[in-house]
Amino acid sequence: MALPTSSVITLNVNGEPRTLPVDHRTTLLDALRERLDLTGTKKGCDHGQCGACTVLLDGRRAVSCLHLAVAAEGREITTVEGLADGGRLHPVQQAFLDLDGYQCGYCTPGQICSAVGALREHAEGWPSAVTGDLRPEAGPPELTPEEIRERMSGNLCRCGTYNAIVEAVAHAADSTSAASAADTEEAVA
């Protein structure tokens, strides 16, 4: 008796459940782009080496070309289309626009999703390969250009817009920190 090679799955994408039949070999990238018409996520190398297909799975960065769609069932998937809050862009998206953190734009959705994940990891105190003090009590390291470059190193830009990307990520980190401080002050008042 042959085992089934396809299933009907429900993916929670950008806060919305989406049910679709998929072959068990379908990658999350192909399900998002080809089946759900979420074309912001780009297919670059299809080998997990360029980062163009980066999405957030349960808030963590993931290259969607290496994840099977069936394995993403029950997880929260956020694509670049799901980062904005209504008509207001996510601070990382706005920083990329304001500081020209893109040229051709092909890698930009993956860069933006990766930056959102990297900033979250940094805020939670995750070290990078260039973090000097690894003791938990040291807290998050200073978000220097070297820290940003290391944290974003899994995302390639064919146009070489790396300096603007680093500036955009740093600006978004400052904007996010300022917004968090303002929210905290409002909650206390």
Side-chain angles (χ1 to χ4, degrees):
M1 177 170 76
L3 295 174
T5 59
S6 63
S7 298
V8 175
I9 63 171
T10 300
L11 298 176
N12 189 10
V13 182
N14 300 326
E16 180 182 328
R18 307 284 297 268
T19 301
L20 66 155
V22 295
D23 182 290
H24 291 163
R25 299 166 293 181
T26 303
T27 64
L28 179 57
L29 170 62
D30 287 336
L32 292 170
R33 287 187 58 79
E34 308 302 328
R35 304 299 307 284
L36 299 177
D37 294 322
L38 293 168
T39 57
T41 305
K42 303 297 186 215
K43 184 178 279 200
C45 66
D46 216 16
H47 295 287
Q49 298 175 346
C50 73
C53 67
T54 303
V55 297
L56 300 172
L57 279 178
D58 297 328
R60 301 282 179 225
R61 299 182 280 176
V63 284
S64 60
C65 71
L66 296 182
H67 286 271
L68 295 175
V70 294
E73 188 168 28
R75 299 182 71 188
E76 182 63 39
I77 304 161
T78 305
T79 67
V80 70
E81 293 95 341
L83 291 174
D85 184 14
R88 196 174 106 227
L89 293 177
H90 186 282
V92 172
Q93 291 172 310
Q94 190 63 56
F96 267 70
L97 283 174
D98 293 345
L99 298 168
D100 295 328
Y102 57 91
Q103 280 190 19
C104 80
Y106 196 82
C107 72
T108 305
Q111 296 275 1
I112 288 172
C113 284
S114 187
V116 170
L119 291 175
R120 182 175 294 132
E121 292 164 9
H122 175 263
E124 292 174 357
W126 289 35
S128 78
V130 298
T131 301
D133 190 347
L134 300 177
R135 294 173 302 133
E137 60 271 12
E142 181 182 350
L143 197 57
T144 63
E146 292 75 28
E147 275 286 342
I148 294 170
R149 281 187 194 94
E150 175 60 30
R151 291 171 187 274
M152 295 294 294
S153 65
N155 292 79
L156 303 179
C157 174
R158 299 176 200 179
C159 302
T161 314
Y162 296 111
N163 288 335
I165 290 169
V166 169
E167 289 175 24
V169 173
H171 182 74
D174 291 342
S175 298
T176 304
S177 295
S180 293
D183 289 344
T184 301
E185 287 177 17
E186 284 181 25
V188 171

Short mmCIF file of all heavy atoms in Angstrom, two decimals, residues 90-135:
data_model
loop_
_atom_site.label_atom_id
_atom_site.label_comp_id
_atom_site.label_asym_id
_atom_site.label_seq_id
_atom_site.Cartn_x
_atom_site.Cartn_y
_atom_site.Cartn_z
N HIS A 90 6.35 48.94 9.19
CA HIS A 90 7.18 48.51 10.32
C HIS A 90 8.39 49.45 10.34
O HIS A 90 8.85 49.91 9.30
CB HIS A 90 7.61 47.06 10.09
CG HIS A 90 8.34 46.47 11.24
ND1 HIS A 90 9.66 46.73 11.48
CD2 HIS A 90 7.93 45.62 12.22
CE1 HIS A 90 10.05 46.08 12.56
NE2 HIS A 90 9.01 45.39 13.03
N PRO A 91 8.95 49.75 11.51
CA PRO A 91 10.12 50.64 11.57
C PRO A 91 11.28 50.20 10.69
O PRO A 91 11.99 51.05 10.13
CB PRO A 91 10.52 50.61 13.05
CG PRO A 91 9.26 50.29 13.78
CD PRO A 91 8.48 49.39 12.86
N VAL A 92 11.48 48.91 10.51
CA VAL A 92 12.56 48.45 9.63
C VAL A 92 12.21 48.77 8.18
O VAL A 92 13.07 49.25 7.42
CB VAL A 92 12.83 46.94 9.82
CG1 VAL A 92 13.81 46.42 8.78
CG2 VAL A 92 13.35 46.66 11.23
N GLN A 93 10.97 48.54 7.78
CA GLN A 93 10.57 48.88 6.42
C GLN A 93 10.75 50.37 6.16
O GLN A 93 11.28 50.77 5.11
CB GLN A 93 9.11 48.49 6.18
CG GLN A 93 8.87 47.00 6.15
CD GLN A 93 7.39 46.66 6.10
OE1 GLN A 93 6.61 47.17 6.91
NE2 GLN A 93 7.01 45.79 5.17
N GLN A 94 10.33 51.19 7.12
CA GLN A 94 10.44 52.64 6.96
C GLN A 94 11.90 53.07 6.88
O GLN A 94 12.26 53.93 6.07
CB GLN A 94 9.74 53.36 8.11
CG GLN A 94 9.59 54.85 7.89
CD GLN A 94 8.72 55.17 6.69
OE1 GLN A 94 7.58 54.73 6.60
NE2 GLN A 94 9.26 55.93 5.75
N ALA A 95 12.74 52.47 7.69
CA ALA A 95 14.17 52.82 7.68
C ALA A 95 14.81 52.44 6.34
O ALA A 95 15.64 53.19 5.81
CB ALA A 95 14.89 52.12 8.83
N PHE A 96 14.44 51.30 5.78
CA PHE A 96 14.98 50.92 4.47
C PHE A 96 14.57 51.94 3.41
O PHE A 96 15.38 52.28 2.54
CB PHE A 96 14.51 49.51 4.08
CG PHE A 96 15.46 48.42 4.49
CD1 PHE A 96 15.63 48.09 5.82
CD2 PHE A 96 16.18 47.72 3.54
CE1 PHE A 96 16.50 47.08 6.20
CE2 PHE A 96 17.05 46.71 3.90
CZ PHE A 96 17.22 46.39 5.25
N LEU A 97 13.34 52.43 3.49
CA LEU A 97 12.90 53.46 2.54
C LEU A 97 13.63 54.78 2.78
O LEU A 97 14.13 55.40 1.84
CB LEU A 97 11.39 53.69 2.67
CG LEU A 97 10.49 52.66 2.03
CD1 LEU A 97 9.03 52.95 2.38
CD2 LEU A 97 10.68 52.63 0.53
N ASP A 98 13.68 55.21 4.01
CA ASP A 98 14.27 56.51 4.34
C ASP A 98 15.76 56.58 4.04
O ASP A 98 16.27 57.63 3.66
CB ASP A 98 14.05 56.85 5.82
CG ASP A 98 12.59 57.08 6.16
OD1 ASP A 98 11.77 57.26 5.23
OD2 ASP A 98 12.27 57.06 7.37
N LEU A 99 16.47 55.47 4.23
CA LEU A 99 17.93 55.48 4.11
C LEU A 99 18.43 54.72 2.87
O LEU A 99 19.61 54.39 2.79
CB LEU A 99 18.56 54.92 5.38
CG LEU A 99 18.25 55.75 6.63
CD1 LEU A 99 18.65 55.00 7.89
CD2 LEU A 99 18.94 57.09 6.55
N ASP A 100 17.54 54.48 1.92
CA ASP A 100 17.92 53.80 0.67
C ASP A 100 18.63 52.48 0.92
O ASP A 100 19.69 52.21 0.33
CB ASP A 100 18.78 54.71 -0.21
CG ASP A 100 18.03 55.94 -0.69
OD1 ASP A 100 16.80 55.82 -0.90
OD2 ASP A 100 18.65 56.99 -0.85
N GLY A 101 18.05 51.64 1.76
CA GLY A 101 18.63 50.34 2.06
C GLY A 101 18.29 49.31 1.01
O GLY A 101 18.15 48.13 1.33
N TYR A 102 18.18 49.74 -0.22
CA TYR A 102 17.85 48.83 -1.32
C TYR A 102 18.34 49.46 -2.62
O TYR A 102 18.57 50.66 -2.68
CB TYR A 102 16.33 48.61 -1.42
CG TYR A 102 15.58 49.90 -1.57
CD1 TYR A 102 15.30 50.41 -2.84
CD2 TYR A 102 15.19 50.64 -0.48
CE1 TYR A 102 14.65 51.62 -3.00
CE2 TYR A 102 14.53 51.85 -0.62
CZ TYR A 102 14.27 52.33 -1.89
OH TYR A 102 13.63 53.53 -2.03
N GLN A 103 18.52 48.66 -3.63
CA GLN A 103 18.76 49.18 -4.98
C GLN A 103 17.79 48.49 -5.92
O GLN A 103 16.73 49.02 -6.19
CB GLN A 103 20.22 49.03 -5.40
CG GLN A 103 21.08 50.12 -4.81
CD GLN A 103 22.48 50.14 -5.38
OE1 GLN A 103 22.77 49.60 -6.44
NE2 GLN A 103 23.37 50.78 -4.66
N CYS A 104 18.14 47.30 -6.38
CA CYS A 104 17.21 46.63 -7.29
C CYS A 104 15.97 46.14 -6.55
O CYS A 104 14.92 45.98 -7.13
CB CYS A 104 17.90 45.49 -8.04
SG CYS A 104 18.07 43.95 -7.11
N GLY A 105 16.11 45.91 -5.24
CA GLY A 105 14.98 45.52 -4.41
C GLY A 105 14.74 44.03 -4.30
O GLY A 105 13.89 43.60 -3.52
N TYR A 106 15.47 43.22 -5.05
CA TYR A 106 15.21 41.79 -5.03
C TYR A 106 15.45 41.18 -3.65
O TYR A 106 14.63 40.41 -3.16
CB TYR A 106 16.06 41.06 -6.08
CG TYR A 106 15.54 39.68 -6.34
CD1 TYR A 106 14.48 39.47 -7.22
CD2 TYR A 106 16.08 38.57 -5.70
CE1 TYR A 106 13.98 38.21 -7.45
CE2 TYR A 106 15.59 37.30 -5.93
CZ TYR A 106 14.54 37.13 -6.80
OH TYR A 106 14.04 35.87 -7.02
N CYS A 107 16.53 41.56 -3.00
CA CYS A 107 16.86 40.97 -1.70
C CYS A 107 16.15 41.67 -0.55
O CYS A 107 16.16 41.19 0.58
CB CYS A 107 18.36 41.02 -1.46
SG CYS A 107 19.02 42.68 -1.12
N THR A 108 15.53 42.82 -0.83
CA THR A 108 15.01 43.68 0.24
C THR A 108 14.00 42.98 1.15
O THR A 108 14.10 43.12 2.37
CB THR A 108 14.42 44.98 -0.36
OG1 THR A 108 15.45 45.60 -1.15
CG2 THR A 108 13.96 45.92 0.72
N PRO A 109 13.01 42.23 0.66
CA PRO A 109 12.08 41.58 1.59
C PRO A 109 12.79 40.64 2.57
O PRO A 109 12.49 40.64 3.77
CB PRO A 109 11.13 40.82 0.67
CG PRO A 109 11.17 41.57 -0.61
CD PRO A 109 12.60 42.04 -0.74
N GLY A 110 13.74 39.86 2.07
CA GLY A 110 14.49 38.97 2.94
C GLY A 110 15.37 39.74 3.92
O GLY A 110 15.50 39.37 5.09
N GLN A 111 15.97 40.82 3.44
CA GLN A 111 16.80 41.68 4.31
C GLN A 111 15.93 42.26 5.43
O GLN A 111 16.34 42.27 6.59
CB GLN A 111 17.43 42.83 3.50
CG GLN A 111 18.40 42.42 2.44
CD GLN A 111 19.81 42.21 2.95
OE1 GLN A 111 20.11 42.36 4.13
NE2 GLN A 111 20.70 41.86 2.04
N ILE A 112 14.76 42.73 5.08
CA ILE A 112 13.87 43.35 6.07
C ILE A 112 13.42 42.32 7.10
O ILE A 112 13.48 42.57 8.31
CB ILE A 112 12.68 44.04 5.38
CG1 ILE A 112 13.18 45.31 4.67
CG2 ILE A 112 11.56 44.37 6.38
CD1 ILE A 112 12.14 45.98 3.79
N CYS A 113 12.97 41.15 6.65
CA CYS A 113 12.54 40.11 7.61
C CYS A 113 13.71 39.69 8.49
O CYS A 113 13.55 39.49 9.70
CB CYS A 113 11.96 38.91 6.87
SG CYS A 113 10.29 39.19 6.24
N SER A 114 14.89 39.55 7.89
CA SER A 114 16.06 39.18 8.67
C SER A 114 16.40 40.25 9.69
O SER A 114 16.73 39.95 10.85
CB SER A 114 17.26 38.93 7.75
OG SER A 114 18.33 38.42 8.49
N ALA A 115 16.30 41.52 9.30
CA ALA A 115 16.59 42.62 10.23
C ALA A 115 15.62 42.63 11.40
O ALA A 115 16.02 42.84 12.55
CB ALA A 115 16.56 43.96 9.50
N VAL A 116 14.34 42.38 11.13
CA VAL A 116 13.35 42.33 12.20
C VAL A 116 13.72 41.21 13.19
O VAL A 116 13.73 41.41 14.41
CB VAL A 116 11.92 42.11 11.64
CG1 VAL A 116 10.93 41.80 12.75
CG2 VAL A 116 11.47 43.34 10.86
N GLY A 117 14.06 40.05 12.66
CA GLY A 117 14.46 38.94 13.52
C GLY A 117 15.76 39.22 14.26
O GLY A 117 15.89 38.92 15.45
N ALA A 118 16.72 39.82 13.57
CA ALA A 118 18.02 40.12 14.19
C ALA A 118 17.86 41.13 15.33
O ALA A 118 18.49 40.99 16.38
CB ALA A 118 18.99 40.65 13.15
N LEU A 119 17.03 42.14 15.12
CA LEU A 119 16.81 43.13 16.18
C LEU A 119 16.12 42.51 17.38
O LEU A 119 16.42 42.85 18.53
CB LEU A 119 16.03 44.33 15.64
CG LEU A 119 16.79 45.20 14.65
CD1 LEU A 119 15.89 46.29 14.10
CD2 LEU A 119 18.04 45.79 15.29
N ARG A 120 15.21 41.59 17.13
CA ARG A 120 14.54 40.89 18.24
C ARG A 120 15.55 40.03 19.01
O ARG A 120 15.57 40.02 20.23
CB ARG A 120 13.40 40.03 17.72
CG ARG A 120 12.64 39.30 18.83
CD ARG A 120 11.44 38.53 18.33
NE ARG A 120 10.45 39.45 17.82
CZ ARG A 120 9.83 39.31 16.64
NH1 ARG A 120 10.09 38.27 15.87
NH2 ARG A 120 8.93 40.17 16.24
N GLU A 121 16.39 39.31 18.27
CA GLU A 121 17.42 38.49 18.91
C GLU A 121 18.37 39.35 19.74
O GLU A 121 18.72 38.99 20.87
CB GLU A 121 18.22 37.72 17.85
CG GLU A 121 17.42 36.66 17.13
CD GLU A 121 18.07 36.19 15.84
OE1 GLU A 121 19.24 36.56 15.57
OE2 GLU A 121 17.41 35.45 15.09
N HIS A 122 18.76 40.49 19.20
CA HIS A 122 19.65 41.40 19.92
C HIS A 122 18.98 41.90 21.20
O HIS A 122 19.58 41.89 22.28
CB HIS A 122 20.03 42.59 19.03
CG HIS A 122 20.83 43.61 19.74
ND1 HIS A 122 20.27 44.75 20.27
CD2 HIS A 122 22.15 43.65 20.05
CE1 HIS A 122 21.22 45.44 20.87
NE2 HIS A 122 22.36 44.81 20.74
N ALA A 123 17.72 42.32 21.10
CA ALA A 123 16.99 42.83 22.27
C ALA A 123 16.85 41.75 23.35
O ALA A 123 16.83 42.07 24.55
CB ALA A 123 15.62 43.34 21.85
N GLU A 124 16.77 40.50 22.92
CA GLU A 124 16.65 39.39 23.88
C GLU A 124 18.00 38.95 24.43
O GLU A 124 18.07 38.02 25.23
CB GLU A 124 15.93 38.21 23.22
CG GLU A 124 14.47 38.50 22.92
CD GLU A 124 13.79 37.40 22.13
OE1 GLU A 124 14.45 36.40 21.74
OE2 GLU A 124 12.58 37.54 21.87
N GLY A 125 19.08 39.61 23.99
CA GLY A 125 20.40 39.31 24.53
C GLY A 125 21.17 38.21 23.83
O GLY A 125 22.19 37.76 24.32
N TRP A 126 20.69 37.77 22.67
CA TRP A 126 21.41 36.73 21.94
C TRP A 126 22.74 37.30 21.46
O TRP A 126 22.79 38.35 20.83
CB TRP A 126 20.61 36.28 20.73
CG TRP A 126 19.38 35.48 21.01
CD1 TRP A 126 18.52 35.62 22.06
CD2 TRP A 126 18.84 34.45 20.21
NE1 TRP A 126 17.49 34.74 21.96
CE2 TRP A 126 17.66 34.00 20.82
CE3 TRP A 126 19.23 33.87 19.03
CZ2 TRP A 126 16.88 32.99 20.29
CZ3 TRP A 126 18.45 32.87 18.50
CH2 TRP A 126 17.30 32.43 19.13
N PRO A 127 23.84 36.59 21.69
CA PRO A 127 25.13 37.07 21.19
C PRO A 127 25.30 36.73 19.71
O PRO A 127 24.58 35.89 19.17
CB PRO A 127 26.15 36.30 22.03
CG PRO A 127 25.44 35.02 22.36
CD PRO A 127 23.98 35.38 22.50
N SER A 128 26.25 37.40 19.08
CA SER A 128 26.64 37.05 17.71
C SER A 128 28.08 36.58 17.75
O SER A 128 28.71 36.57 18.81
CB SER A 128 26.49 38.26 16.78
OG SER A 128 27.58 39.14 16.94
N ALA A 129 28.63 36.26 16.61
CA ALA A 129 30.02 35.80 16.55
C ALA A 129 31.00 36.91 16.91
O ALA A 129 32.15 36.62 17.24
CB ALA A 129 30.33 35.26 15.16
N VAL A 130 30.59 38.17 16.86
CA VAL A 130 31.50 39.28 17.19
C VAL A 130 31.21 39.89 18.56
O VAL A 130 31.85 40.84 18.96
CB VAL A 130 31.49 40.38 16.10
CG1 VAL A 130 31.96 39.83 14.78
CG2 VAL A 130 30.12 41.03 15.99
N THR A 131 30.24 39.33 19.29
CA THR A 131 29.92 39.84 20.62
C THR A 131 31.09 39.57 21.55
O THR A 131 31.55 38.43 21.67
CB THR A 131 28.64 39.18 21.17
OG1 THR A 131 27.57 39.46 20.27
CG2 THR A 131 28.29 39.70 22.56
N GLY A 132 31.57 40.64 22.22
CA GLY A 132 32.73 40.51 23.09
C GLY A 132 32.43 39.85 24.42
O GLY A 132 33.10 38.91 24.82
N ASP A 133 31.41 40.32 25.12
CA ASP A 133 31.10 39.82 26.46
C ASP A 133 29.88 38.90 26.36
O ASP A 133 28.77 39.35 26.11
CB ASP A 133 30.81 40.99 27.40
CG ASP A 133 30.72 40.57 28.85
OD1 ASP A 133 30.63 39.35 29.13
OD2 ASP A 133 30.74 41.47 29.71
N LEU A 134 30.09 37.62 26.56
CA LEU A 134 29.03 36.63 26.41
C LEU A 134 28.28 36.31 27.70
O LEU A 134 27.36 35.50 27.70
CB LEU A 134 29.60 35.34 25.82
CG LEU A 134 30.24 35.48 24.44
CD1 LEU A 134 30.83 34.15 24.00
CD2 LEU A 134 29.23 35.97 23.43
N ARG A 135 28.67 36.94 28.79
CA ARG A 135 27.99 36.66 30.06
C ARG A 135 26.54 37.17 29.99
O ARG A 135 26.30 38.28 29.53
CB ARG A 135 28.71 37.36 31.21
CG ARG A 135 30.11 36.83 31.46
CD ARG A 135 30.86 37.65 32.50
NE ARG A 135 30.93 39.04 32.05
CZ ARG A 135 30.66 40.09 32.83
NH1 ARG A 135 30.32 39.93 34.08
NH2 ARG A 135 30.75 41.31 32.35
#
